[in-house]
Each structure stands twice: as structure tokens, then as C-alpha cells.
Amino acid sequence: MTNRFITAAGLLCLAFATQPVVAAGFTLSSHELTNGNFPNAQLLSQPYGFGCSGENHSPSFNWSGAPDGTKSFALQIYDRDAPTGLGWVHWQVVNIPASATSLPAGLAANSKGAPSGTLQTRTDFGVPGYGGPCPPEGQTHHYVVTLTALKVATLPGVTADATPALVGFMTKANSLGEATIHITQGR
């Protein structure tokens, strides 16, 4: 009985430790994402072969109110409804310096124009850089944009070729708090 109690208590602690921390006053916004939708400029372009004809330009993001002790930020755009069984990571940007309060629109995959030290990592498209949304025709998907304040200046073991799962693990393990935007997009 004692071992079961200890195991149950340990699992409960682990569950609470892995929940996102919402930091009071930590906010995230984007001028391009209006009325809860991505405009055509941010949708996936034809060369990717998913049937969308957008311009595939990343949106800009602005934030404020980061938690005390923030040493860097990580940004992710995730489609939780993608027909993969696992969702789909559309964009991951890490090692954004703590002094930064924004990312510009149209960021190139090499991070030119981003704050110094910023790194874009591999997405579920298989390469670093932004890949816009493109839900299957007749479907509506829910996208979550998450900016995570981190307690480290650079994520350990993360390179441009790091998998979305590794980046997500290291981000959650070093999180001080999150700010999110929820977007519903149909086609």
C-alpha cells in the first residue's frame, strides 16, 4: 500500500511539474494575425504540395511582461489538429535574447534580421524556418502560438537540425512561463 501511495504521489507531482506555467502579465501579440486567422501572406505556399497558395511569410510577434529571471525565449507555432496523430510543428525559434521584445515578419530560415543569437530549428516540414498553415480542404484547425520565457540563455543540445520533440522537451524543462495566441484557420 505504501509503495502505491508513493508511486501515485510521484506521478501527481510529475503531472503538475510538466503543466505550462502562465505568467501573470506576460503577453504575446501579432499585427498580422487578425480576427483569429492567418492572412494569405502567412499561409503555406504551393511548392510544399499541400494545396495552399499563400506566400509563406512568418508573422511578426511582440511581447511584454516576461517573468523575472528570463534569459531567453522560444517561440513555437503548433497545429494540434494535423492529421498525423501527433499534431504538426510549423515553426520553432529559440535562443531569442531576453532583451528582445519582438520578432519581425518575413523572417528568413537563416534568421537574418532576427535578434542576435536567435536560432530557427527543424519543423515537421523537416527543415528550419517558417512553414505556414494549410489545413486540408473543408477542415478547420486550431493553431497554438506559444512564447516561452526560459531560465537559460541557450537551450542545451539544440541545433538548427534538432527535432521538434527535442526542442519541445528542452523548452518545457527550462520554462519560467508562457504566453499564447490561439488561432482557428479553415480552408
Side-chain angles (χ1 to χ4, degrees):
M1 179 74 153
T2 304
N3 286 343
R4 285 187 203 156
F5 176 74
I6 292 171
T7 302
L11 289 174
L12 187 59
C13 288
L14 180 61
F16 285 123
T18 59
Q19 295 301 309
V21 177
V22 177
F26 187 27
T27 62
L28 176 65
S29 64
S30 175
H31 300 294
E32 290 82 15
L33 306 177
T34 57
N35 301 320
N37 289 297
F38 290 96
N40 192 60
Q42 274 74 49
L43 297 179
L44 194 65
S45 58
Q46 283 182 335
Y48 283 90
F50 288 94
C52 285
S53 58
E55 298 172 32
N56 206 45
H57 295 297
S58 64
S60 66
F61 289 99
N62 300 289
W63 56 89
S64 63
D68 289 342
T70 298
K71 294 186 179 170
S72 70
F73 298 97
L75 182 100
Q76 180 189 71
I77 297 179
Y78 173 73
D79 175 1
R80 67 179 194 206
D81 299 318
T84 64
L86 302 170
W88 190 272
V89 174
H90 283 265
W91 198 28
Q92 294 198 127
V93 186
V94 300
N95 304 340
I96 305 166
S99 60
T101 58
S102 65
L103 283 176
L107 197 59
N110 65 4
S111 298
K112 185 177 181 179
S116 181
T118 298
L119 175 68
Q120 294 180 72
T121 62
R122 188 168 25 146
T123 66
D124 283 324
F125 291 102
V127 295
Y130 178 79
C134 182
E137 198 155 347
Q139 293 186 20
T140 298
H141 283 203
H142 299 87
Y143 298 86
V144 181
V145 181
T146 305
L147 180 71
T148 306
L150 302 170
K151 61 185 174 184
V152 295
T154 58
L155 287 177
V158 171
T159 64
D161 198 40
T163 64
L166 175 63
V167 175
F169 177 83
M170 289 301 186
T171 298
K172 294 290 185 193
N174 291 287
S175 175
L176 292 172
E178 297 179 345
T180 59
I181 299 173
H182 294 269
I183 299 164
T184 303
Q185 188 77 34
R187 183 165 71 100

